[in-house]
Amino acid sequence: MRYTVKQGKKIAIHPHVQHHAKGTPGMTQGKLIFIGIASIVGAGFFLATGTIFNIAGPATLFGYLLAWLSVTTVFAALGEMAADEPGKGGSFRAYIGEYLGRGYSFVGGWVYWTAGVLIMSSEVTALGLFTQRWFPSVPLWLLSSLFSLLAVGLNWLGSEKFGQAESLFAVIKIVAVIGFIVAVLVVAGGMVFSGEYLPQTKAEWFPHGIKGLWSSIILIYFTFGGIIATGLAAGEMKEPEKIPGAFRRMVLLLLFLYLIPLTLVVLTGSTGSLSAQQSPFITVLSRLSVPYGDELLNGIMIAAAFSTMVAAMFASTRVLVSLAEDGDAPRKLLTKNKREVPTYALLASSGGLVFAIGISFFLPKEVYELLSTSAGINLVFLWMGILISHHIYRKKQRKIKGENHPMWGYPLRTLISCIIIVVVLVGIFLDRKHMISLGFTLALMILFTFCYQVMKRRKNTDKKTIRN
């Protein structure tokens, strides 16, 4: 482990970001925002919102506001630590390992890798569903296989090409959302501003009661799934002190990109005709008879989902490399090709797609929601770990050197966000399908904890053998 010194304090440089410490150009604030948008806005937003509206109805808007509040806190906590301790490169594992313990870092790393595989799997399933609109006779598993090969190929080209592609995809996503907003306002502005479809009663806002909203928020969290990947990208910032500002701009942009289009879905009276198999935005454009709008948006959603899938593959591969560098995964995963791509780690992460493609062959209609919920559960456990790590970090920083980039509203903001996350996790018990996903996640965490204990005992045994 290498170290750097900042304001008289010795800071560990996490292994997977050592190349940045050597003086590579780094990333600008604008590029970080674009990569963050590209990593977050994907099929979860464009497709999963159909399922969410079916469960929660127009109250989905309240769910997104609630989720956004806790998501901004996670971003702020991660941004503060990344700015104050740039040697850790925005790695959530580095913070969890230092402030909660190595065991939590081990389990957290493998949980995130699993979440990344699940995100890839859900995105590739969504890609198949989007593409089936144009090629209905082609089976879902075959379309998923083709997109998987394309994603592996793009990651194989290296991080520079990945960054360029993600910036382009981010622009496409932003233009798509703005285009949807403009198209709806031009075609149905009178309907929207008159509020004729605005829900008036509690029954209209909550068609399935509070229970419907409560059980759907875990899926809403899934649509913000790229936060940790964005944190890893922040480790490449050439001016780390600008990370918190970039994150603040990013979450404000996310509020605009998410809430306004979803509000238009409600104000056009489309919530009663949505399908879990089709994006609500395509449903709206079809109902309003916007010329070629639904087909154009479908193509953009394919690009958006592919982008998020590629980003999840990139982040999962890097986390797997980080695990291998720490001795928590086979050293073979550190092998790189001439483009500095960790080939075995990439293949191992991509191998999880085989599982998803296999499931999509047997359960083509159910697989997307199951994968999305499992990924969402994995992610919120990690977000809780980040918030707790940040709390411990702030207590230690106060004793050492004060606060350099303090998060606004701490500690009350952290406490409220943790309570929201716990309440959301309790809501999982209200839906049988979500219980399946929770059981899968808990089983994985128990398995990873067991593996860590076995590994720890072996290392202790080896140390005793060497001493003797």
Side-chain angles (χ1 to χ4, degrees), residues 55 210-222 369-384 419-442 445:
I55 300 172
I210 297 296
K211 176 183 175 181
L213 173 62
W214 194 358
S215 64
S216 71
I217 297 181
I218 190 65
L219 272 173
I220 294 176
Y221 273 129
F222 165 71
E369 185 177 349
L370 288 171
L371 291 171
S372 300
T373 306
S374 295
I377 294 170
N378 281 17
L379 290 170
V380 295
F381 274 120
L382 292 175
W383 294 352
M384 181 71 85
I419 291 173
I420 291 173
I421 289 175
V422 171
V423 170
V424 169
L425 288 173
V426 172
I428 293 171
F429 293 91
L430 301 175
D431 189 302
R432 184 184 60 83
K433 286 186 289 185
H434 293 179
M435 286 286 291
I436 296 173
S437 299
L438 177 62
F440 173 71
T441 300
L442 292 178
M445 294 179 74

Side-chain angles (χ1 to χ4, degrees), residues 450-462:
F450 174 76
C451 291
Y452 174 73
Q453 293 299 328
V454 170
M455 183 190 73
K456 185 178 178 180
R457 288 177 183 175
R458 284 182 178 178
K459 287 184 177 181
N460 290 337
T461 301
D462 291 342

Side-chain angles (χ1 to χ4, degrees), residues 278-406:
Q278 178 173 279
S279 168
F281 308 112
I282 285 185
T283 302
V284 171
L285 294 177
S286 298
R287 288 184 72 246
L288 298 178
S289 300
V290 176
Y292 304 107
D294 51 349
E295 300 300 338
L296 179 61
L297 184 59
N298 191 62
I300 291 172
M301 289 192 307
I302 290 174
F306 183 71
S307 163
T308 304
M309 175 188 172
V310 170
M313 186 177 291
F314 181 88
S316 297
T317 301
R318 267 56 191 179
V319 167
L320 203 54
V321 169
S322 175
L323 285 163
E325 287 171 331
D326 289 345
D328 295 337
R331 301 286 298 178
K332 187 75 172 176
L333 297 173
L334 298 175
T335 305
K336 297 181 179 180
N337 63 15
K338 61 182 181 181
R339 296 187 182 89
E340 292 298 305
V341 177
T343 50
Y344 288 107
L346 175 59
L347 292 175
S349 295
S350 307
L353 290 171
V354 177
F355 171 72
I357 292 169
I359 292 180
S360 68
F361 180 79
F362 296 104
L363 301 169
K365 293 183 179 180
E366 294 85 359
V367 63
Y368 181 76
E369 185 177 349
L370 288 171
L371 291 171
S372 300
T373 306
S374 295
I377 294 170
N378 281 17
L379 290 170
V380 295
F381 274 120
L382 292 175
W383 294 352
M384 181 71 85
I386 290 172
L387 292 175
I388 295 173
S389 298
H390 174 259
H391 174 65
I392 298 172
Y393 162 81
R394 283 292 290 265
K395 288 171 65 178
K396 289 187 175 181
Q397 290 298 90
R398 191 175 294 119
K399 295 177 181 178
I400 298 174
K401 60 172 183 176
E403 302 162 355
N404 288 334
H405 304 88

